[in-house]
């Protein structure tokens, strides 16, 4: 029988990989969010980018694994980015990817980079110039572009012409990047457009990246696919092309639910991490940025981010426990049950104790959620952050 | 060969049915709507329930088929419902169903009628008492209840206990109705809850109605189903049980897109109307209320409602053109292609000329969209409705 | 921190429940199966019902949890059912549910119980009389009816008339049952019909059961739902109505894939078992029969059944480990993360060691798969079962 | 108001396009087919490739639009291809694409071109050499490869290694083609594999084609996508890349139902043809081969193919009726309702009379179905084709 104690099975190398893994947090996850029906306000929610970064730093403080914070422009516009970066550094974190926003300006109602009107397209391109300035000011190297453009009705616009306009706009943006910058392009199956998105799938995103150049890579948001889509296959495919730039982690039962990663289908998250690990893409220099992109509509935001980081860590630890030799031998010999069993053996292992020990070895509390709850931080921000406009989507 | 001119094939009885069909409009379709990302404002949008009804009356003026307007409480709360009803009557329309709203109060974050806290459940029940008062004041006979309650995470609450609480709340509401009132209960697959809705499907809605009594009936919103669901089967099933109370018409490609009815899958709308016609449920006394429930996020609202009414009329006209004798003979003899062909023959018929003639026979313009555009109404409201808060979801 | 060793947390009562749980095996899982493209033959596959039962008995021998075998009529027709039952008893198993087959007779091309031709319907009803005779001969108490009837094309037949015919046929079958017999009715979303199944969902199955009487109950096949359907909600709903008669366990990524239960989404299986456990429906006298219904197209059949039984046991053990007090307290107080965490704590526990110990306490080998592999049974049947027609669907 | 008589609106050029459109028929559509549960036999079904071609020629005889027949190897293996081609020529048709079959050999249980065993991969490559010989003997220029390879269970094999093996095998096949040959590569979402197909989507198929060279193009089977996928977007995308090689037309409600094209969602078929027409890809020299790929499980096969050809013609005629000037003006000006209305105006037009006239102008009967029924051909083959093994999948 297989030894079920994972500590006996984790190699030193795997242990180092686990310790080295980092997960980027999105600033907007700390503001209020909701559905089209209602955004429920929570007490203590940040009122500006500085407070968002402070909250994000708490997640890093208790997990030791979340040292970067993505910004969102214009939501996170501030007068002084050096001050924001310094604030982050003081709290032990750095600025990660810069996300451009193409969905909240009235002029973008019928599209931004794909809009029939050249003036609107020009405006959308120029917004990215502003984002690149923020990158320079903050030291960020990833410009992240999620295109909300699309159509609600058949015939509303010309599907193919929109691809041409998009290619043109991306070219201008890509040309403006500094040599150390990447353009990371995200795709989405549907929403906010309900007939056809202009970048609906990985194939479309990849074709645009291939046309742009080596520093254009694809972002895979785990919630942005048709029902039943095999996401780990896409992970493998993008890795094979050398174009998997980042993850936007979250989870879903139906549409783009943006629930905590690993909460809807933990086995899927494990399978994704297995593709990452087996392709050697866990290493910090692999070019794959692991980010969260979630909406905490009804649960408290900081603990929800902590839990999400832990979920990614648990899936990663299990992926690192796969006995590669046993797995590959079974695969080679056509032993269907044996190969599947080798994978499941790792998945079925309880790695929470292992991760608790690793945290303690880093001087962290074994259970980040308990430690955060005991810290009094929540009570403090609820008391302090009274008045002012809470941050949220659109704020 | 079959005669393709539909005027030669429409029976007098079918012609009368077409002329008698009415479609109820939702007041909220005239306010701004959007996605969780953005609500785009449109010029001339109503600022209060009186203006919403004025716009709805325009749809009736040009189609002759939309004489009722559903209200939504609290969005359409006014001080004087007699005045609102009189305003409607002056414009040639009446008040239709009263929709209760259980999703926009902060206390409802974790549920309303199913909330674990009895105080919240009590509040939700009492909200319906207020709605029933509005019914009495406006002469409305349908209390429409769409339950947004549900869970985002497995384990968040007890699925079964929530059904028990729901049954209890519905009982109290049902008991408060007047004898001429109906409770119409809507189901929805997902959104705003992303793990489990408390009334996710027609089976659940129907079980609650059966437990309540004869005046509890089901609302079928065409956008509220899992991918691939055969909606006309559900129509047939609910008609067979005598419990199809109403439609909320709209259309979808993905989730609950709330696009104009008939715009995504006109053949499906035709199949639905074929079930209605073949069960004799088109008649005004059938108990089936045909309503629209749509979001015009990017298109102008009044023409979009006109187009939607026309789409329902076209689907209905085609359903009335089905040659029942040919169809049934083919069905009885197991002639698969013949039976399908009989249905398709009606669907493939162009009924627009026929409907234009019917409109003219009623003293209406043959093309409602052209006539409305020429009326100058849009220009008038754009000029008049400057200032004030535009109506929208939540306004 | 929570104690992760599950042995410390399993109550005596839960331990007894685990030991008492039984899972029924389908005779057809031991024959060859496949897709419409190809059935791949495996060596040693049974050639008659006696050999199927012998193979099923192996699963029971090594798991101690699979003491019943479902038969399928006409696939498992034999001359002497007393002999078959005695053969089963010799091998330590009994005969479980009797499945009627309504899909392999040429006359059923356009339907069986719903066929437009009364003669075909009569034949289909009479087939069930034969099945009831087999029940009497074998001591089976469950007549299991999965209706493959449906339409491929809109208009092909009258949806509502087919419900009426179905109700009539079910009435005749139900009337023929002995007092100790149950009729268990299964639903399916699609396949073999591709436009509309006549029992496509739990609502339809339940309505027919309610019309029949107390001994008509619903079978939930985990693969028979639309994408995204929340299956545990249906489990809770049917338990609330007292009408969950049985499971057909298997798993799926896409359609009715019929993969090994727990292999595609082990978390879903756990959530289902959590509903079962929390409603007290795990007890043998609950009326819920846990059955497998799977196709082992490419993997060896006996080990695949063993693995499936183990998967159900693991999910059940985890469900029994849920700390109900912690869970309910969190639910009552609206602690979303706490309640979800209580559930996940059980799910994330590794219960394999616990189950190995329980097996040893029953005198079984701790790992059934290893023990079966070491037994030489596979080699024996491969050598012995040469010649003759292998059993399979349709054989 | 728009003139609804389509004859007044069809330009001469569009009329010529309609007359020039051809649709290729699959030989296997004339044999029996079914589901994994049952293949129902029909009287008069062909017993060899010669009889299949004779039946296909009937479809061409009555529609004038189906002059090519695809073969399937090994199902359509004959000793003398010159004789088969001559037989086809005598009946007025030619041989179209040659389809390789990689799913019915026992050795392919775990894959063909992606199998872990190099010997199996070699065999699969060599099977294509045989197909290329058939191409040379029949004058076919398209080698069509649908890869049924994939996995049923996570871990069963290495996803990425399978892509590498596939790339290698395709390279060998591509290298063996003659200069006038194309390799047309089909993708499929799922089935027969239920966890992961090796070519599951258009992105994967296109990447392999790009790696191979200019004569490798993608086949779009309309039934091979995830629920909700916007197929016309993929059409536009592949046309934009110059890599849309062919369609496999059919229709679906759920999975790969293989129903008659246009029967499940005629509006979708119209939207697809609108992309084709607006990209100029209807022209015979566009490189897009319009083929049917359907299963007539319960309907008679020749009339079902005739109906399918007519459905494609009707969708094409409607697409040709789109008033491009009105559409583009509305698109440019952001007139959402106007642009959608321009498309719908064409879709809502009844083109059956127009097509009947076009047929008569070619010396054909106006209604192919009636003319075929009156011809006595069905009665003749039912009488003649008694005895022998009927063709079907696998026969």
């Amino acid at each position: 029988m297989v030894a079920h104690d994972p500590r006996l099975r984790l190699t030193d190398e795997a242990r180092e990989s686990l310790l080295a893994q980092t997960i980027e947090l999105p600033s907007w996850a700390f503001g209020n969010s909701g559905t089209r029906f209602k955004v429920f306000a929570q007490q203590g929610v940040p009122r500006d980018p500085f407070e968002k970064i402070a909250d994000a730093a708490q997640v890093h403080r208790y997990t030791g694994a979340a040292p970067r914070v993505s910004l969102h422009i214009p939501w996170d516009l501030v007068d002084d980015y050096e001050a924001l970066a310094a604030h982050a550094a003081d709290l032990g974190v750095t600025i990660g990817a810069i996300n451009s926003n193409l969905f909240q300006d009235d002029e973008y109602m019928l599209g931004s980079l794909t809009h029939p009107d050249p003036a609107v397209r020009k405006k959308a391109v120029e917004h990215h110039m502003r984002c690149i300035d923020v990158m320079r000011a903050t030291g960020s190297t990833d410009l992240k572009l999620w295109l909300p453009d699309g159509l609600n009705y058949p015939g509303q616009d010309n599907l193919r012409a929109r691809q041409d306009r998009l290619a043109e706009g991306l070219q201008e943006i890509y040309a403006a990047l500094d040599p150390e910058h990447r353009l990371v392009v995200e795709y989405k199956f549907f929403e906010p457009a309900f007939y056809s998105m202009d970048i609906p799938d990985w194939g479309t995103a990849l074709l645009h990246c291939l046309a742009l150049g080596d520093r254009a890579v694809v972002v895979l948001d785990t919630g942005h696919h048709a029902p039943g889509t095999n996401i780990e296959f896409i992970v493998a495919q993008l890795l094979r092309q050398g174009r998997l730039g980042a993850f936007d982690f979250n989870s879903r039962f139906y549409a783009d639910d943006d629930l905590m990663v690993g909460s809807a289908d933990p086995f899927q998250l494990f399978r994704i991490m297995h593709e990452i690990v087996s392709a050697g893409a866990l290493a910090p220099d692999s070019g794959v940025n692991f980010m969260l992109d979630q909406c905490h509509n009804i649960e408290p935001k900081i603990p929800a981010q902590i839990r999400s980081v832990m979920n990614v860590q648990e899936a990663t630890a299990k992926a690192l426990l796969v006995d590669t030799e046993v797995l590959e031998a079974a695969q080679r010999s056509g032993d269907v049950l044996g190969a599947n069993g080798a994978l499941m053996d790792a998945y079925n292992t309880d790695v929470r104790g292992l991760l608790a020990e690793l945290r303690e070895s880093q001087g962290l509390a074994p259970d980040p959620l308990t430690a955060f709850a005991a810290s009094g931080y929540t009570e403090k921000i609820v008391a302090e952050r009274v008045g002012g406009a809470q941050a949220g989507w659109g704020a």
Side-chain angles (χ1 to χ4, degrees), chain A residues 267 270-271 274 322 327 338-348:
Chain A
F267 182 43
F270 163 75
R271 298 194 310 265
H274 170 60
V322 172
L327 177 69
N340 174 248
L343 196 73
M344 297 310 295
D345 184 43
Y347 178 68
N348 286 325

Side-chain angles (χ1 to χ4, degrees), chain A residues 2 23 56 59 63 68 112 144 162 181 186 268 271 303:
Chain A
V2 173
I23 295 140
V59 180
T63 62
R68 292 183 309 284
S112 61
K144 185 148 149 254
R162 290 173 81 90
H181 290 170
E186 190 166 339
Q268 182 186 61
R271 298 194 310 265

Side-chain angles (χ1 to χ4, degrees), chain A residues 1-163:
Chain A
M1 248 207 127
V2 173
H4 289 157
D5 185 339
R7 289 164 298 188
L8 306 176
R9 293 158 59 198
L10 197 72
T11 64
D12 286 348
E13 189 187 7
R15 183 189 158 92
E16 289 310 308
S17 294
L18 254 187
L19 285 169
Q21 186 185 31
T22 60
I23 295 140
E24 186 165 321
L25 307 183
S27 67
W28 57 93
F30 299 92
N32 285 320
S33 64
T35 68
R36 59 176 169 152
F37 296 106
K38 169 77 175 172
V39 173
F40 294 104
Q42 293 186 10
Q43 290 185 295
V45 154
R47 296 160 300 177
D48 61 38
F50 290 84
E51 291 182 355
K52 291 185 206 172
I53 286 175
D55 287 3
Q58 290 291 311
V59 180
H60 184 51
R61 177 169 179 177
Y62 292 99
T63 62
R68 292 183 309 284
V69 188
S70 310
L71 299 187
H72 202 285
I73 306 301
W75 297 344
D76 293 327
L77 280 179
V78 295
D79 292 332
D80 183 346
Y81 281 100
E82 280 72 16
L84 190 70
H87 171 71
D90 285 349
L91 297 165
V93 297
T94 62
I95 304 301
I98 302 301
N99 293 257
S100 66
N101 179 318
L102 297 167
F103 53 83
Q104 287 197 332
D105 194 292
D106 279 325
E107 285 188 79
Y108 296 154
M109 186 172 84
L110 302 181
S112 61
L113 291 172
T114 66
H115 197 287
D117 182 345
V120 178
R121 298 202 297 274
K122 184 159 179 286
K123 174 180 167 156
V125 168
E126 283 168 0
H127 175 61
H128 289 86
M129 302 305 138
R130 191 164 51 152
C131 293
I132 294 171
D133 287 341
V134 175
M135 293 172 72
R136 290 172 185 141
T138 57
S140 166
T141 56
D142 276 7
L143 175 59
K144 185 148 149 254
L145 191 159
W146 166 57
L147 189 79
D149 295 13
L151 309 177
N152 272 7
Y153 291 102
Q156 180 188 327
D157 198 1
N158 185 308
L159 290 175
R160 194 166 157 179
R162 290 173 81 90
Q163 291 299 310

Side-chain angles (χ1 to χ4, degrees), chain A residues 210-336:
Chain A
L210 291 173
L212 289 171
D214 283 348
R215 287 173 298 120
V217 287
V218 178
V219 181
L220 189 156
D221 183 305
T222 46
H224 289 188
H225 304 86
T229 301
N230 184 325
I231 295 177
E232 59 269 28
F233 178 88
I234 300 175
V235 171
Q237 192 67 275
L238 289 173
L239 286 172
R240 190 171 176 267
Q241 304 291 325
R243 298 278 182 160
L244 179 62
F247 280 100
D248 262 8
F249 276 133
N250 51 57
S251 71
R252 59 171 278 193
F253 289 96
Y254 304 96
D256 185 30
D257 305 343
D258 278 326
L259 301 177
M260 297 186 299
V261 59
S263 67
D265 187 350
F267 182 43
Q268 182 186 61
L269 181 60
F270 163 75
R271 298 194 310 265
I272 289 171
M273 293 313 303
H274 170 60
E275 287 307 315
I276 290 290
V277 166
S278 58
L282 191 59
D285 64 353
S286 72
V288 182
N289 189 6
F290 301 90
M291 303 190 284
L292 302 183
D293 183 15
Q294 306 180 152
C295 290
H296 305 300
N297 297 349
I298 61 169
E299 65 271 24
K301 295 158 205 306
I302 298 172
Q305 291 278 302
I306 291 174
R307 161 64 85 160
S308 302
V309 169
M310 293 169 72
N311 285 353
V312 175
Q313 290 180 311
E314 290 174 19
T316 305
K318 291 180 178 193
L320 287 163
L321 284 175
V322 172
D323 189 326
T324 309
E325 277 182 45
V326 171
L327 177 69
E328 292 181 357
Q331 289 175 343
R332 270 192 306 273
S333 66
D335 176 2
V336 175

